[in-house]
Amino acid sequence: MNVLSRDKQIEVIAALCEGVGIRTAARLTGVNRGTVGNLALRVGMGCMELHDRLMVGIRTERLELDEAWSFVGKKQKNVQRHEIHAKGDQYIFIGMAGAQKAIISWGVGKRNTESTMDFLHDLRARVIGQPEISTDGFHPYRMAIRDAFGDSASHGVIVKTYSVTHLVKEAQGRYSPAAVVAVDREVVSGDPDQYVSTSYVERQNLSLRMSSRRFTRLTNGFSKKLENHIAAVALYVCHYNLCRTHEALRMTPAKALGVTEKAWSIAQLVDAALSVAPALPTETPPDRRRKFTVIEGGKT
């Protein structure tokens, strides 16, 4: 990556943002696979910093929250005790502005109370006022929203009941979602104006899986390391907010939110991300480590 030209860097990131994997991007661009991975990691880390700087002081009337499943390294059933935090199931928490379709806050972690609380407090720090909040029936949302937004928060829950008779062995039925048989809405606190819905953020989960190879089901393109997984989410979020024109809005979500004045190009995104990206740690080469020997000291 140190000698990769700017045009090649843009070409690589553009390929990754269109949903191809690292190996495919390497073949399409003629860049070494390791270089593609290192560039994606550094740009992703820069996108994390870029998102933190841009998504502050946000005003929106509605928020939709949801979490999307993914895994790192191996499936949860194969995770060893010492790998519990870095391997297995990793959920992507997304806080989305209902009207502007922008991702205001996101997080990666286990689907538990601790991760939910961290996600909600990050979201609270970015949003001004008391927007209406819609979530699914995941119970930790109730306590986390009350803790972050206060007792006066307008919080509604939508619970979907799926058919349990969807038990078929054919591939067409096995990989298709179960039918929704009932939808219940509940007002937890405040008055969400009877408009409780997570449709936009659930559609956002599809965009995430289509735009990043790491989230495509039934492939070997899944992340092998947690830090690369997080960097991939950061790259997706910045590309979605800043570069990708939303078909319904006819502008980027960041422009609809008032964060930017126009859509960014991939080149602008890469330049901005690399300018704020922290330096990647370098490991000592194995050959150098072998030269060090332990010398026994004399008796005192």
Side-chain angles (χ1 to χ4, degrees), residues 11-148:
E11 189 178 349
V12 168
I13 297 302
L16 294 176
C17 289
E18 291 301 327
V20 303
I22 288 181
R23 289 175 174 84
T24 306
R27 291 192 296 268
L28 289 173
T29 60
V31 179
N32 178 268
R33 188 176 69 190
T35 303
V36 172
N38 290 335
L39 177 63
L41 176 60
R42 184 141 188 256
V43 172
M45 294 175 66
C47 286
M48 293 175 60
E49 180 66 25
L50 196 61
H51 181 84
D52 287 341
R53 297 186 183 188
L54 291 176
M55 289 296 172
V56 292
I58 304 299
R59 290 189 180 274
T60 183
E61 296 181 356
R62 291 188 60 254
L63 290 173
E64 295 185 12
L65 314 184
D66 197 19
E67 62 284 347
W69 172 82
S70 64
F71 71 97
V72 173
K74 58 183 72 173
K75 292 293 183 66
Q76 187 66 30
K77 63 181 181 180
N78 300 322
V79 173
Q80 303 296 321
R81 183 179 297 272
H82 66 280
E83 302 172 326
I84 190 68
H85 297 291
K87 301 291 185 180
D89 291 348
Q90 299 290 342
Y91 283 82
I92 294 86
F93 292 82
I94 292 179
M96 185 178 185
Q100 298 85 1
K101 312 296 190 301
I103 300 175
I104 298 176
S105 178
W106 61 274
V108 177
K110 300 295 183 179
R111 195 169 186 259
N112 53 26
T113 302
E114 181 180 1
S115 297
T116 308
M117 194 71 71
D118 292 341
F119 166 63
L120 261 299
H121 278 280
D122 180 80
L123 180 62
R124 169 75 274 188
R126 301 180 187 279
V127 176
I128 297 175
Q130 288 283 17
E132 299 175 2
I133 304 175
S134 297
T135 68
D136 57 16
F138 185 45
H139 193 71
Y141 277 133
R142 299 171 182 257
M143 180 176 61
I145 290 174
R146 185 169 60 251
D147 186 71

Side-chain angles (χ1 to χ4, degrees), residues 268-282:
Q268 290 175 307
L269 177 62
V270 172
D271 291 340
L274 290 179
S275 65
V276 298
L280 295 178
T282 56

Side-chain angles (χ1 to χ4, degrees), residues 210-228:
M210 296 292 291
S211 301
S212 181
R213 186 63 170 174
R214 296 171 186 267
F215 301 96
T216 306
R217 297 180 184 271
L218 305 176
T219 71
N220 63 350
F222 58 88
S223 299
K224 311 308 184 292
K225 295 182 179 179
L226 182 58
E227 61 178 353
N228 297 77

